[in-house]
Amino acid sequence: MHIIKVDAIDSTNTFLRDLNREKHFIAPVCVIARKQLSGKGQMGTVWQSNPGENLTCSVFMPIEGLPLTDQFYVSIATSLAVYDTLNRLVVPKLSIKWPNDILSDKQKLCGILIENVVKNGSMIGAIIGIGININQIDFDNLPQAGSLKQVLGQNLNIEEVLQSLLVQLEKRFSALCVSNFVHLKKEYETVLFRKNKPSTFLDVEGESFVGIIKTITNEGKLQVLIEDEIISDFDLKEIKLLY
């Protein structure tokens, strides 16, 4: 995979998106930054990362005309690729917190931000921002954040983690086809954080309620069993799972 290394940059996703508009990539490309000045997280949040201590990268992955209705399978493939990477490092108690945070026990080790590249109503690629906390040990006002160093008790080589991640991404995306969707979804649900356990959620009004995660829909909505044996579907803007 072609890798572009930069020292300091606003956002690897923005950089790669602009570069793709100019170059029209047809093969995977990775941009890795030592320092991000305005790294992006989910829902407009900022991704905190000390310079040179973590893996902050974005990867363009080409996709063969995936309907937009199936776009959550890109998130599934990406989440599983990161999960595979950390599993190979023997990170304990790994899980995927819906939709695509990677946890060790309750500590968030990785965040993922995906931007679709669309043509004629189908996805032809994805720009995938991945931040993995590797050697950082202090996080300001982020009680759930953790790093591989905290979990494994040793420094890791960021370049080696990147190379392993890129191998797993290419492996997962090579299997990203409709015939594999059922298997991918089953794998994802097998490692889903808090699945089949009573959990506390916040709704859009900030009210808390208890429910049990049962599954996800093909569109990526979370199906939660709530009171009176009712199963409700929620998207990312409608619900927040508390730790």
Side-chain angles (χ1 to χ4, degrees):
M1 187 183 298
H2 182 55
I3 299 175
I4 302 168
K5 296 181 180 180
V6 294
D7 186 55
I9 197 173
D10 283 347
S11 158
T12 54
N13 260 38
T14 301
F15 178 88
L16 191 54
R17 184 178 66 228
D18 293 344
L19 197 61
N20 180 53
R21 285 174 179 162
E22 178 187 334
K23 303 285 189 182
H24 303 292
F25 297 133
I26 57 172
V29 177
C30 173
V31 174
I32 177 172
R34 183 180 177 276
K35 178 181 181 180
Q36 279 195 117
L37 303 175
S38 353
K40 297 179 179 179
Q42 284 278 10
M43 306 287 287
T45 58
V46 174
W47 182 261
Q48 288 186 30
S49 179
N50 289 348
E53 294 188 354
N54 303 313
L55 174 57
T56 50
C57 68
S58 293
V59 182
F60 171 83
M61 293 298 293
I63 297 168
E64 292 187 8
L66 190 72
L68 280 173
T69 50
D70 294 328
Q71 62 184 295
F72 192 72
Y73 285 93
V74 173
S75 182
I76 289 177
T78 302
S79 301
L80 288 172
V82 177
Y83 181 95
D84 295 343
T85 302
L86 300 188
N87 199 36
R88 291 169 73 88
L89 293 170
V90 200
V91 175
K93 298 181 180 178
L94 273 178
S95 65
I96 299 172
K97 180 174 179 280
W98 176 82
N100 51 26
D101 287 341
I102 312 301
L103 309 183
S104 171
D105 197 6
K106 293 183 179 180
Q107 288 185 290
K108 179 176 174 177
L109 303 180
C110 174
I112 295 167
L113 179 66
I114 299 172
E115 300 180 33
N116 299 335
V117 181
V118 179
K119 184 177 181 181
N120 298 329
S122 295
M123 287 185 69
I124 59 167
I127 292 168
I128 303 165
I130 298 174
I132 302 178
N133 297 329
I134 296 184
N135 295 321
Q136 183 172 335
I137 56 173
D138 295 314
F139 299 90
D140 293 335
N141 299 315
L142 293 171
Q144 268 81 44
S147 69
L148 295 180
K149 182 175 181 177
Q150 289 175 324
V151 172
L152 298 175
Q154 61 183 18
N155 275 333
L156 279 85
N157 185 300
I158 295 172
E159 184 74 26
E160 289 178 2
V161 177
L162 172 66
Q163 293 298 333
S164 177
L165 171 64
L166 297 183
V167 168
Q168 298 304 324
L169 275 172
E170 294 205 86
K171 180 180 175 183
R172 285 293 182 180
F173 272 76
S174 69
L176 188 61
C177 55
V178 174
S179 60
N180 270 338
F181 280 179
V182 171
H183 178 68
L184 278 170
K185 185 166 173 282
K186 186 176 181 180
E187 272 196 273
Y188 175 90
E189 290 177 341
T190 298
V191 296
L192 196 58
F193 180 64
R194 303 293 304 172
K195 186 173 186 286
N196 291 325
K197 296 178 181 178
S199 303
T200 304
F201 301 86
L202 289 180
D203 63 19
V204 285
E205 280 84 31
E207 297 290 328
S208 65
F209 67 94
V210 174
I212 299 174
I213 295 173
K214 301 308 293 181
T215 184
I216 55 165
T217 68
N218 290 332
E219 296 74 35
K221 291 187 176 184
L222 194 67
Q223 291 200 322
V224 181
L225 176 66
I226 54 178
E227 57 187 354
D228 301 323
E229 298 299 308
I230 296 169
I231 292 181
S232 296
D233 297 354
F234 298 95
D235 67 25
L236 190 55
K237 296 177 182 177
E238 295 174 327
I239 193 174
K240 180 179 181 182
L241 169 61
L242 301 181
Y243 286 82

